[in-house]
C-alpha cells in the first residue's frame, strides 16, 4: 500500500518535471529493504531530492530530443549502525557500463593519487614482486604511479570505455565488477595482493558482502586493503549534500564499515583524514589479528558516537538545512536573473548536476558549464540540458557569475581565474549557504 502511494507520488512529480524537461520518463529502480552494513531493517527516510536523471548521464545533442530516464533520489539512515544509504537503487549495469568520469582529467585528483601511491609504497615497503590491485581503477591514474615506482599492478573496472583507455596506456585492466567471483578468478591468474586500493568507489558498490568476501579471498596474509571515501561526518558538518546521488549509494563512516568488515574476518587498523572531496577518510584494513590497532580508530568511533550517527535528530536537522540551501540558491539566482546577469556553472560534475536538478535550474537560467574534461565538452548536462564547453570559451562567454559546481576544487579554480575575478567575474559557492565570493 505504501509502495503504491510512493509510485503515485512519483507520477505526479514526473508530470511537473515534464513542464521543465518534456523528455522526462520514469526509469526502473529497486527499493532497498536492508542495511548494507549491519543487515538490519531499521532504515528510516530523512531526505528527498525528488526525481532526477542519472547525474553522470551527460547527453549528446541528438539525445536531447529522446526520452530521458528519471529516478527517485531519497536518503535513509540506519538507526542500528548509523549507515546512510539511498532508499532506491538503479542497476549497476545502467550506471557504470559507459562512464564519463576520468581521474586523470582533474589535476588536484592526480596529485592526490600520486601522493597516496608513494605513501603506500613507503609505509608497507612494497617491492617489484608485490601485486597492487586497484578496484574501480578508472583510467589507471593511481596504478600508473605504482608502475613508475616499479610495483606489479592490476586494475579492475566495470566501465568498458574507461578500461579500454587504461589498457591502451599499458595499465593492465580487467573489464568487470569486483566481486567474490572476479576475486577468485584473479587469485587463480595473479595470486594474492599485498595492497588492494578502493579509492572513491565504496559508495558505488551495492553489495558489500561480495566486495569484502572478494577482499578476504585476495588479500595477502600480511596485506593491506586501503579504502578512501567521502566521510559522512564531514558531509553532516558541511551540508555538502550533492555528493548523495544514484551512483553514491552509501554515505559511510567508520562504525558501520567496521561491522560489515568483521562479518568477513577483516578489521580496520588505522584511519587518516584527508580534506579532498569536502572531507574524506582513508581506512587501512587487514585480516583480523594481524596488525596492532592504532589508537586513531577509537578516536573516530568515539566521535561518531558523540555526534550520534544513529540518532534521528541529527538527520532531521540536516534535511531542514538542505532544503534551506536549495531555497536560498533559487532565490539568489532568481534575483541575479532579474538583474539580467549572465550565469554559468564551473565544473560539469555529477554533484553539480544534483544541485542544478534539485533547484530545477536549466539552460534558460544557466547559459553554459565550463569544464576541462575534453570528452564532456560538446555534451549537455542531464535534465538541465546546459551545454558543456571548454575553459577557453570563458572569455567569449563573458559571464557575470559562475556557480562553483566543482566546489571541491574551489581553491584551484579561483587561483586559475585570478585575472577574470579582477575584471569582475564573481563566483558563487553553494555551501554551507549560497554565497557570492
Ligand atoms: Zn545498519
Amino acid at each position: 500500500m505504501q509502495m503504491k502511494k510512493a509510485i503515485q507520488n512519483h507520477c505526479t512529480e514526473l508530470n511537473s518535471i515534464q513542464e521543465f524537461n518534456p523528455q522526462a520518463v520514469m526509469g526502473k529502480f529497486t527499493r532497498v529493504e536492508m542495511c548494507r552494513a549491519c543487515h538490519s531493517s531499521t532504515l528510516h527516510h530523512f531526505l528527498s531530492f525528488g526525481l532526477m536523471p542519472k547525474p553522470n548521464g551527460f547527453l549528446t545533442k541528438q539525445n536531447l530530443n529522446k526520452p530521458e530516464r528519471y529516478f527517485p533520489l531519497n536518503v535513509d539512515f540506519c538507526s542500528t549502525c548509523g549507515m546512510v544509504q539511498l532508499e532506491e537503487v538503479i542497476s549497476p549495469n545502467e550506471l557504470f557500463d559507459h562512464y564519463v568520469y576520468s581521474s586523470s582529467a582533474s589535476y588536484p585528483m592526480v596529485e592526490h593519487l600520486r601522493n597516496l601511491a608513494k605513501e603506500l609504497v613507503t609505509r608497507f615497503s612494497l617491492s617489484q614482486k608485490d601485486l597492487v590491485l586497484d578496484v574501480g581503477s578508472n583510467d589507471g591514474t593511481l596504478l600508473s604511479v605504482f608502475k613508475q615506482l616499479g610495483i606489479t599492478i592490476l586494475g579492475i573496472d566495470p566501465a568498458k570505455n574507461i578500461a579500454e583507455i587504461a589498457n591502451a596506456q599499458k595499465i593492465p585492466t580487467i573489464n568487470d565488477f569486483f566481486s567474490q567471483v572476479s576475486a577468485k578468478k584473479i587469485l587463480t591468474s595473479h595470486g594474492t595482493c599485498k595492497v588492494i586500493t578502493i579509492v572513491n568507489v565504496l559508495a558505488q558498490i551495492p553489495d558489500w558482502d561480495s566486495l569484502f568476501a572478494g577482499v578476504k579471498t585476495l588479500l595477502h596474509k600480511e596485506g593491506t586493503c586501503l579504502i578512501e571515501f567521502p566521510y559522512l561526518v564531514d558531509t553532516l558538518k558541511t551540508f555538502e549534500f550533492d555528493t548523495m546521488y544514484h551512483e553514491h549509494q552509501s554515505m559511510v563512516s567508520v562504525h558501520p564499515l567496521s561491522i560489515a568488515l568483521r562479518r568477513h574476518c577483516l578489521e580496520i587498523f588505522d584511519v587518516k583524514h584527508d580534506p579532498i572531496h569536502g572531507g574524506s577518510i582513508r581506512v587501512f584494513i587487514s585480516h583480523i589479528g594481524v596488525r596492532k590497532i592504532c589508537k586513531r580508530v577509537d578516536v573516530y568511533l568515539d566521535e561518531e558516537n558523540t555526534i550520534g550517527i544513529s540518532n534521528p535528530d541529527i538527520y532531521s536537522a540536516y534535511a531542514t538545512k538542505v532544503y534551506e540551501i536549495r531555497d536560498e540558491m533559487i532565490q539568489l539566482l532568481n534575483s541575479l536573473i532579474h538583474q539580467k546577469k549572465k550565469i554559468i556553472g564551473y565544473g560539469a560534475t555529477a554533484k553539480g548536476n544534483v544541485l542544478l536538478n534539485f533547484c530545477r535550474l536549466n539552460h534558460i537560467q544557466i547559459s553554459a558549464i565550463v569544464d576541462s574534461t575534453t570528452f564532456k565538452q560538446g555534451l549537455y548536462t542531464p535534465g538541465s540540458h546546459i551545454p558543456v564547453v571548454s575553459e577557453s570559451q570563458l572569455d567569449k562567454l563573458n559571464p557575470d557569475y559562475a556557480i562553483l559546481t566543482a566546489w571541491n576544487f574551489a581553491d584551484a579554480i579561483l587561483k586559475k581565474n585570478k585575472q577574470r575575478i579582477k575584471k569582475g567575474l564573481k563566483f558563487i559557492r553553494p555551501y554551507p549557504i549560497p554565497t557570492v565570493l
Side-chain angles (χ1 to χ4, degrees):
M1 191 67 193
Q2 214 177 16
M3 190 64 180
K4 210 172 171 185
K5 200 174 166 196
I7 291 167
Q8 271 170 3
N9 287 345
H10 290 329
C11 292
T12 316
E13 201 195 334
L14 188 68
N15 290 341
S16 92
I17 289 171
Q18 280 164 342
E19 288 170 26
F20 161 84
N21 176 6
Q23 310 305 330
V25 295
M26 274 303 284
K28 282 186 186 158
F29 58 89
T30 316
R31 222 180 132 83
V32 177
E33 305 286 356
M34 183 180 85
C35 171
R36 191 165 289 133
C38 78
H39 285 185
S40 82
S41 56
T42 49
L43 298 175
H44 310 275
H45 170 86
F46 73 95
L47 183 59
S48 284
F49 292 100
L51 295 176
M52 284 215 189
K54 289 183 292 176
N56 264 319
F58 289 89
L59 303 163
T60 59
K61 195 169 189 176
Q62 293 78 6
N63 284 343
L64 287 177
N65 298 317
K66 291 185 182 161
E68 189 174 1
R69 291 192 292 281
Y70 275 62
F71 305 88
L73 186 55
N74 295 304
V75 195
D76 286 357
F77 75 95
C78 171
S79 57
T80 303
C81 73
M83 176 79 171
V84 172
Q85 53 210 312
L86 298 192
E87 217 164 290
E88 297 94 357
V89 292
I90 317 176
S91 122
N93 290 330
E94 161 114 42
L95 284 173
F96 300 115
D97 184 45
H98 186 91
Y99 204 45
V100 291
Y101 175 78
S102 156
S103 316
S104 64
S106 141
Y107 176 72
M109 197 61 204
V110 173
E111 265 307 289
H112 177 78
L113 295 175
R114 185 172 295 145
N115 293 334
L116 171 62
K118 284 180 184 166
E119 186 187 320
L120 290 173
V121 170
T122 310
R123 180 166 177 184
F124 301 110
S125 309
L126 299 181
S127 67
Q128 200 232 331
K129 62 179 184 352
D130 297 322
L131 176 65
V132 172
L133 173 79
D134 189 25
V135 173
S137 49
N138 201 268
D139 58 8
T141 306
L142 175 63
L143 286 175
S144 68
V145 188
F146 283 108
K147 192 181 170 186
Q148 282 161 21
L149 296 168
I151 314 297
T152 310
I153 53 164
L154 182 65
I156 178 162
D157 199 288
K160 198 167 173 262
N161 60 322
I162 298 271
E164 276 168 8
I165 294 172
N167 278 313
Q169 288 165 350
K170 307 242 179 304
I171 305 293
T173 305
I174 298 167
N175 178 216
D176 201 354
F177 287 97
F178 183 76
S179 64
Q180 193 172 12
V181 176
S182 54
K184 280 181 182 163
K185 286 185 200 162
I186 296 172
L187 183 68
T188 309
S189 59
H190 291 76
T192 56
C193 305
K194 206 66 180 286
V195 166
I196 299 175
T197 49
I198 305 174
V199 179
N200 266 327
V201 286
L202 179 65
Q204 303 169 3
I205 299 175
D207 186 351
W208 278 16
D209 285 303
S210 180
L211 169 73
F212 296 136
V215 170
K216 183 74 190 168
T217 302
L218 263 181
L219 193 66
H220 182 278
K221 61 181 189 312
E222 287 163 3
T224 301
C225 171
L226 173 129
I227 311 186
E228 182 175 301
F229 51 87
Y231 188 33
L232 171 71
V233 172
D234 288 315
T235 310
L236 291 175
K237 284 179 184 167
T238 58
F239 300 101
E240 290 157 354
F241 59 80
D242 58 10
T243 51
M244 300 181 185
Y245 52 83
H246 303 109
E247 284 158 21
H248 292 176
Q249 297 157 21
S250 315
M251 274 56 73
V252 189
S253 49
V254 179
H255 182 246
L257 179 59
S258 63
I259 292 175
L261 288 165
R262 237 174 283 143
R263 259 200 315 276
H264 298 276
C265 298
L266 295 163
E267 67 183 352
I268 298 171
F269 67 87
D270 198 3
V271 183
K272 272 177 85 176
H273 191 266
D274 192 284
I276 201 151
H277 295 306
S280 296
I281 52 170
R282 280 177 189 174
V283 172
F284 297 79
I285 294 153
S286 67
H287 294 286
I288 280 183
V290 171
R291 287 185 185 268
K292 190 170 174 274
I293 311 290
C294 179
K295 280 183 187 152
R296 276 195 288 263
V297 179
D298 275 338
V299 172
Y300 277 84
L301 289 170
D302 288 347
E303 197 201 352
E304 289 173 8
N305 192 31
T306 310
I307 287 171
I309 56 160
S310 314
N311 185 337
D313 295 344
I314 190 170
Y315 296 104
S316 86
Y318 184 81
T320 305
K321 177 82 178 173
V322 167
Y323 299 134
E324 205 179 294
I325 293 170
R326 176 196 58 189
D327 296 346
E328 288 269 341
M329 191 70 175
I330 295 171
Q331 213 175 13
L332 170 66
L333 295 179
N334 279 344
S335 125
L336 295 176
I337 290 159
H338 190 71
Q339 294 167 50
K340 306 240 178 308
K341 300 293 182 192
K342 189 171 190 180
I343 307 164
I344 61 152
Y346 211 111
T349 57
K351 56 171 83 68
N353 289 332
V354 173
L355 179 69
L356 295 168
N357 282 300
F358 186 40
C359 295
R360 298 280 178 256
L361 297 166
N362 66 15
H363 54 99
I364 297 165
Q365 297 108 326
I366 315 289
S367 45
I369 306 256
V370 293
D371 198 285
S372 56
T373 318
T374 335
F375 57 78
K376 283 185 188 172
Q377 294 160 7
L379 298 177
Y380 292 78
T381 55
S384 48
H385 297 181
I386 303 165
V388 181
V389 300
S390 74
E391 285 172 313
S392 64
Q393 297 288 303
L394 251 178
D395 293 321
K396 203 171 134 198
L397 282 166
N398 195 23
D400 300 296
Y401 290 83
I403 306 168
L404 280 165
T405 37
W407 49 260
N408 47 328
F409 298 131
D411 292 346
I413 293 171
L414 294 175
K415 205 172 155 192
K416 213 193 272 184
N417 286 282
K418 229 173 166 178
Q419 288 308 319
R420 292 191 183 96
I421 293 169
K422 270 188 191 165
K423 285 182 190 162
L425 173 63
K426 292 186 178 67
F427 278 90
I428 299 169
R429 191 196 288 269
Y431 311 106
I433 201 81
T435 312
V436 177
L437 300 178

